Each structure stands twice: as C-alpha cells, then as structure tokens.
C-alpha cells in the first residue's frame, strides 16, 4: 500500500477492532480471487482495504485487456489469460455495500465514507446504516465479510445470508476460533451438522479457519466457500492444462 493510502487509513484504525492484519489479508484475498460484488457487515478500517483492492483489480484487468487485444498476453508463445474473463470483467461493476448500525462504542464506520471520498474510492461504495439481521441481502454476492458481534446468533444470521451468496462465492467471518459462542457454531459447521444449527446445508461448503496465535481476542478468520446450491448451480474450477 502506498503512503497516501496508509496516511488516510490511519484515522480509521482502532486497536479494539483487531483488524490490523485482517485489512491487508482482505486486500490480498480480493486481489487474488477477483471477486466483484462484496457485502461487508461492520464497516470501517477494513472497508478501505476492500475498496482499494476493487479499484486495483479494475486497473489491472484494464491493462491486461489492452495487452490481450494487441496479442501480447503470451508466455513461451502460449496464451496465459482467459480471454472471456478478461474481456467481460467490466460487465458487472465492482462494488462494496457496507452495512453497520454504528452502535459500537469504538465504531469507525461513520468515517469510512469520508476517507473513501478523499481517496477517490467512493464510487465503489454504498453505505447502509442498519441492522444486519433485518436487511434483505441482494442475490449473487461474491463475498460476504461478516465482522460484527454476532456470538450465539450466528445460525440466525447465516441462515438469512447464505442463500444470497453465489456458487463459488465466499463467506468470511471474523473472530470465530477463541470465543466459546462462535466456536460452538464453527464446530457444528465442521461436523456437518444440520442447517438448523449452522444456517448452511451441510453439503454445500468447504471451510478453513486461520488463527493469529499471538492474540487472545479478535484473532481469527473463518472462510467458507459455497460449492453447491439448492437450485443445482454447483461450482467447480476449470481445467486449462496438463501440468502447469
């Protein structure tokens, strides 16, 4: 990240939120997966990392598209891009919908929109002040980032949110491993318990959780990828080569 970005971002940083490493992680995750339609529950510091990643993805694909049209996207005289993906990247606008009730005593959500405007990232952002349990999420979400104190209500939240995530999309949850209430939900998901306990059909996802071992609180991220849908719209990665 450049100095101008980090300088503006510093006004949103609060150690109580525990996202000093998660922000950069989300930036890399969005850059790598090229997700475009993102919803964030609990806005603030991480919002700017996601917004910057969306812009950098758009800029990157624009550069690649220009090279592709000139026939220059080749390695060892073999095409290395996926032409359709590159050409149609802009068909779906990149966007981040931030949802926050702004009730946390250390909240930084209200300043995120102002910082986004200063960094010329506001065109990617929509801010909704409200309760995540009361909102109807749009369909075909690529990434849902849940960073709010949900605790024992995880099943309730996920049962409403999960249908909105497209096949191949992701649900990322903050702070799932070392607090008892959320860990109980996570272990139920790992054990493939029923939807009445997890909010997700047990055969629709894969999961991996990451721990920041030096911290006691706000120290983990669980990643769920949706592999199947009830409507039969399953997801699998393509095959492009024999070895490479």
């Amino acid at each position: 990240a450049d100095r101008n970005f980090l300088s503006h971002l510093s006004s949103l940083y609060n150690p109580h939120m525990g996202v000093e490493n998660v922000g950069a992680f989300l930036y890399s995750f969005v850059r790598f997966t090229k997700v475009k339609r993102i919803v964030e529950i609990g806005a603030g510091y991480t919002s700017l990392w996601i917004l910057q990643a969306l812009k950098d993805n758009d800029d990157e694909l624009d550069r690649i598209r220009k090279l592709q049209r000139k026939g220059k996207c080749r390695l060892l005289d073999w095409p290395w891009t996926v032409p359709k993906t590159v050409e149609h990247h802009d068909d779906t606008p990149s966007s981040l919908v931030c949802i926050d009730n702004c009730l946390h005593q250390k909240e930084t959500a209200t300043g995120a929109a102002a910082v986004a405007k200063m960094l010329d990232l506001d065109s990617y952002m929509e801010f909704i002040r409200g309760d995540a349990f009361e909102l109807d999420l749009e369909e075909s979400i690529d990434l849902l980032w849940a960073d709010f104190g949900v605790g024992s209500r995880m099943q309730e939240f996920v049962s409403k949110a999960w249908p909105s995530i497209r096949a191949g999309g992701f649900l990322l949850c903050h702070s799932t491993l070392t607090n008892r209430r959320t860990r109980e939900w996570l272990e139920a998901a790992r054990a493939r318990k029923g939807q009445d306990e997890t909010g997700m059909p047990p055969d629709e996802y894969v999961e991996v959780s990451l721990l920041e071992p030096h911290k006691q609180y706000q120290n983990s991220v669980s990643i769920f990828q949706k592999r199947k849908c009830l409507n039969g719209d399953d997801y699998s990665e393509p095959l492009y080569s024999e070895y490479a």
Side-chain angles (χ1 to χ4, degrees), residues 23-170:
F25 169 80
L26 288 169
Y27 174 86
S28 296
F29 191 90
V30 173
R31 291 283 281 131
F32 193 91
T33 60
K34 297 295 187 284
V35 291
K36 303 201 68 178
R37 300 183 67 185
I38 304 174
V39 174
E40 177 182 38
I41 311 296
Y45 181 81
T46 55
S47 307
L48 274 298
W49 287 97
I50 295 170
L51 291 169
Q52 187 64 56
L54 290 173
K55 182 180 186 304
D56 290 348
N57 279 347
D58 283 354
D59 291 346
E60 178 190 18
L61 267 293
D62 183 59
R63 293 192 299 269
I64 292 174
R65 187 184 304 110
K66 291 175 181 177
L67 290 172
Q68 180 172 275
R69 290 174 179 176
K70 295 177 181 179
K72 294 183 177 181
C73 287
R74 305 180 71 83
L75 291 174
L76 301 176
D77 201 33
W78 193 262
W80 65 270
T81 55
V82 181
K84 183 177 179 181
T85 300
V86 173
E87 287 296 331
H88 293 282
H89 175 76
D90 293 337
D91 289 0
T92 301
S94 301
S95 65
L96 172 65
V97 177
C98 299
I99 302 169
D100 200 299
N101 60 17
C102 302
L103 296 180
H104 194 289
Q105 61 180 347
K106 302 291 184 179
E107 65 92 9
T108 56
T110 52
V115 175
K117 187 173 182 62
M118 286 188 285
L119 290 170
D120 198 26
L121 298 171
D122 53 309
S123 61
Y124 290 94
M125 182 181 187
E126 178 186 356
F127 182 80
I128 299 174
R129 184 165 184 164
D131 190 325
F133 289 96
E134 298 175 357
L135 293 171
D136 291 325
L137 298 175
E138 60 185 66
E139 295 183 354
S140 299
I141 295 171
D142 296 325
L143 169 61
L144 174 58
W145 163 236
D147 184 17
F148 67 119
V150 61
S152 58
R153 298 181 69 189
M154 280 299 297
Q155 187 278 339
E156 179 185 352
F157 169 73
V158 173
S159 65
K160 291 187 64 177
W162 188 251
S164 299
I165 301 172
R166 66 165 176 83
F170 301 92

